[in-house]
Amino acid sequence: MALAKDENHNHGEQEQGRCSHFLVVAYGIQGHINPARTLARRLARIGGCTATLSVSASGHRRMFPSHGISCDEEVSDGLISYIPFSDGKDDGSWPTDSEDRARRREANFRSLSAVVDRLAASGRPVTCMLCTLSMPVVGEVAREHRLPISVYWIQPATVLATYYHYFHGHGELIGQHGGSSSTQDQVTLPGLHPLRISDMPSFFTEKTPSELSKMLLPAFRELFEQIEQEKLIVLVNTFDALEDVALKAIQPYMDVFAVGPAVPPPLGALPQHKDASEAAQIHLFKHDEKNCMEWLDAQLERSVVYLSFGSLLAYTKRQAEEILHGLQSHGQPYLWVVRKEGRAEEVDSCLREAKADSKGMVVEWCDQQKVLSHPSVGCFVTHCGWNSTLEAVVSGVPMLAVPSWSDQPMNAYLVEEEWRVGVRAERDAEGVLTRDELASRLELLMGGSERSGQIRANAQSLKERAQEAVATHGPLERSLRSFISKSMENLDQSRK
């Protein structure tokens, strides 16, 4: 990422934001870092505000590889600062058991407390802490330092409402249905449209809870208990025009501010006085941007199938083969992202065949926002992670939703049923997207049918609504200013 000083970030200074310093804490993974960074930068652009982003040391090193291996080094991009915290291991691994989790939680507490002390000693006292999703230790640090804390929910408001009701009387009802895929098995939660059980967050419906579920579901329960007991403010990465029903449904239960979409504008859409770092995303994986964009430049408008399943999913050999043959059967140019990190050797033979295909390009990673905003891209085959979903919405690209776990099934429901900007593909009994399913759904999405035309029109309309949300003095800015005022009131209360 190019680090460039922004001389204009105090333009339009407001009394309400004076002396506010937000410490935004995020997990050091791709899907948390970028929305957290975007929020921090937007807060810092409100007159009188400053912001610091703190991620785990392993993530910090990958963000700034040219700065060496020092865990303590602070970096600035001219608008916000970046300071890492340590979990005691700093190797990017996840806890292996309850004892390991407890040790890391204690290390995180000590390290984040030291970050707060360090900022105060340098004349930049923190006035509010924020954390992405469930990071209970951040609440402990905030209480220790008598600081207000807010939660940054980086999934949809619909999922926020669903978790709330799961922990408030509806969990048993949802759990009774297990992993049902029947369209008849539905539940109606207060204020929301009826939802299929199969569209619920995967942790609710696993027949045999995974180790990840055993770790995350209790953490989410603790988070919602904290939100309720301490009346925490919750910032949500969404906007009113996207999820008005869900936002209204959750407002009776918590203090919610819609502060999305947390997707920086494409570089070409920036005013001339803004620097390139405003549009830049953090990439924890190396990518060959030049070849990728030159290949896209050579393709016809809206002809390319872009396929990426995000930063976490690993391919089996069978899944890679099915996708390759499905793309080849469809017959349109395709850009396929398959990360090298964690990739099995048996997948490589399939990728060699794809790379030899004159219609295809396979890359290990790419600047997804730039790809989606390119005119040659006709659709996005996505796992429906929330960041990817919002990037497609902002770019006006129709989606073929292939959800796997966590919030992804719910995101796919929103794409297909509520917004009607895409279609969903179903996996087989082994969890594989088959070649026939991929090819047939692509034909439905990119063909000349009335439905495909309506989907493209809906996607374009939603793109325009997203642009309205982030416009100067628009809903996003007003929401941030209201949050800043409320956070300063909470600071006064916490120190009485």
Side-chain angles (χ1 to χ4, degrees):
M1 180 187 71
L3 300 182
K5 187 169 182 179
D6 185 336
E7 303 291 350
N8 299 308
H9 71 269
N10 283 325
H11 178 70
E13 186 168 345
Q14 304 265 337
E15 181 65 28
Q16 67 168 350
R18 196 175 300 279
C19 300
S20 295
H21 182 186
F22 296 93
L23 177 59
V24 183
V25 185
Y27 287 106
I29 55 178
Q30 184 89 27
H32 285 238
I33 290 172
N34 277 314
R37 175 177 178 266
T38 298
L39 175 64
R41 289 179 62 85
R42 284 174 173 167
L43 287 168
R45 287 194 178 281
I46 303 292
C49 292
T50 57
T52 299
L53 176 60
S54 184
V55 305
S56 58
S58 59
H60 184 84
R61 293 192 197 112
R62 295 183 69 177
M63 290 167 66
F64 306 107
S66 63
H67 289 257
I69 62 171
S70 172
C71 288
D72 300 320
E73 186 171 5
E74 179 176 350
V75 178
S76 173
D77 64 10
L79 181 59
I80 67 171
S81 297
Y82 305 80
I83 302 178
F85 66 88
S86 173
D87 68 357
K89 292 199 173 180
D90 302 330
D91 58 1
S93 63
W94 291 94
T96 55
D97 52 38
S98 59
E99 290 184 5
D100 190 19
R101 280 195 292 274
R103 284 193 297 269
R104 294 194 195 213
R105 185 163 175 162
E106 176 60 27
N108 286 334
F109 176 84
R110 292 195 305 269
S111 184
L112 283 168
S113 291
V115 170
V116 174
D117 289 336
R118 173 179 171 180
L119 289 167
S122 66
R124 297 172 289 165
V126 174
T127 61
C128 180
M129 297 185 73
L130 297 99
C131 63
T132 54
L133 291 183
S134 178
M135 300 183 74
V137 69
V138 180
E140 296 172 7
V141 174
R143 285 190 290 273
E144 176 74 15
H145 292 268
R146 299 176 65 193
L147 292 170
I149 177 175
S150 298
V151 175
Y152 184 27
W153 187 263
I154 55 172
Q155 294 179 355
T158 307
V159 174
L160 174 66
T162 303
Y163 268 102
Y164 177 86
H165 291 298
Y166 180 81
F167 293 129
H168 289 80
H170 290 80
E172 185 176 347
L173 174 63
I174 294 170
Q176 286 174 353
H177 293 273
S180 172
S181 60
S182 171
T183 58
Q184 303 303 313
D185 286 338
Q186 295 184 332
V187 63
T188 301
L189 302 177
L192 298 177
H193 297 143
L195 298 166
R196 292 190 308 178
I197 296 297
S198 58
D199 291 331
M200 291 287 166
S202 61
F203 305 134
F204 296 176
T205 57
E206 292 174 339
K207 293 180 179 177
T208 304
S210 64
E211 290 303 313
L212 187 60
S213 177
K214 292 176 184 177
M215 179 178 72
L216 292 180
L217 207 51
F220 276 120
R221 185 182 295 276
E222 184 177 355
L223 170 66
F224 279 84
E225 289 173 352
Q226 184 184 10
I227 290 172
E228 189 167 24
Q229 293 167 5
E230 302 180 26
K231 308 299 182 188
L232 301 187
I233 294 173
V234 180
L235 307 183
V236 187
N237 184 14
T238 191
F239 55 101
D240 285 320
L242 192 68
E243 289 193 279
D244 59 327
V245 171
L247 287 167
K248 290 175 183 174
I250 198 62
Q251 283 168 353
Y253 309 103
M254 60 184 72
D255 201 0
V256 172
F257 291 83
V259 296
V263 180
L267 187 58
L270 285 173
Q272 289 187 351
H273 69 275
K274 296 288 183 71
D275 64 79
S277 66
E278 176 73 1
Q281 294 272 50
I282 294 289
H283 295 284
L284 301 185
F285 311 101
K286 293 181 180 180
H287 59 286
D288 185 352
E289 182 177 317
K290 182 175 182 294
N291 287 340
C292 179
M293 299 312 291
E294 287 180 351
W295 183 84
L296 287 173
D297 288 341
Q299 310 306 317
L300 297 176
E301 185 173 346
R302 292 206 304 264
S303 67
V304 174
V305 176
Y306 169 58
L307 193 154
S308 174
F309 287 161
S311 59
L312 297 176
L313 183 72
Y315 282 90
T316 63
K317 180 182 180 182
R318 181 181 170 226
Q319 181 62 94
E321 290 174 343
E322 291 295 314
I323 284 178
L324 173 60
H325 292 300
L327 291 171
Q328 290 175 333
S329 176
H330 178 59
Q332 292 290 104
Y334 60 88
L335 173 61
W336 183 14
V337 177
V338 187
R339 287 185 302 107
K340 186 173 184 179
E341 188 173 290
R343 189 169 75 205
E345 290 185 11
E346 59 184 9
V347 174
D348 287 342
S349 61
C350 176
L351 297 183
R352 284 193 292 271
E353 181 182 346
K355 290 176 181 179
D357 185 352
S358 61
K359 282 187 173 291
M361 183 170 193
V362 179
V363 296
E364 295 175 7
W365 194 249
C366 68
D367 188 326
Q368 181 161 284
Q369 192 181 2
K370 285 187 177 181
V371 169
L372 288 171
S373 61
H374 196 285
S376 70
V377 174
C379 82
F380 179 19
V381 184
T382 173
H383 64 311
C384 276
W386 188 234
N387 290 331
S388 291
T389 302
L390 284 180
E391 287 172 357
V393 165
V394 168
S395 300
V397 176
M399 286 171 268
L400 175 51
V402 192
S404 178
W405 69 299
S406 188
D407 60 321
Q408 295 167 13
M410 185 72 75
N411 302 344
Y413 156 78
L414 294 171
V415 166
E416 183 176 45
E417 299 294 338
E418 293 218 353
W419 310 330
R420 301 187 184 278
V421 295
V423 297
R424 180 171 178 163
E426 299 296 340
R427 298 175 182 268
D428 68 10
E430 297 178 2
V432 171
L433 172 64
T434 66
R435 63 190 72 186
D436 291 340
E437 176 74 356
L438 175 58
S440 65
R441 304 309 277 176
L442 283 174
E443 179 59 32
L444 173 61
L445 192 59
M446 297 187 71
S449 68
E450 181 178 349
R451 184 180 178 187
S452 64
Q454 187 59 57
I455 287 173
R456 287 193 292 271
N458 293 344
Q460 180 61 33
S461 176
L462 207 52
K463 173 183 176 180
E464 293 167 2
R465 302 301 293 275
Q467 291 171 339
E468 293 168 2
V470 300
T472 303
H473 307 308
L476 168 61
E477 184 177 332
R478 293 195 299 270
S479 190
L480 285 177
R481 290 185 183 278
S482 296
F483 162 66
I484 292 166
S485 294
K486 190 69 176 287
S487 71
M488 293 303 288
E489 293 173 11
N490 288 349
L491 177 65
D492 295 337
Q493 290 292 326
S494 67
R495 292 183 172 175
K496 284 184 178 179

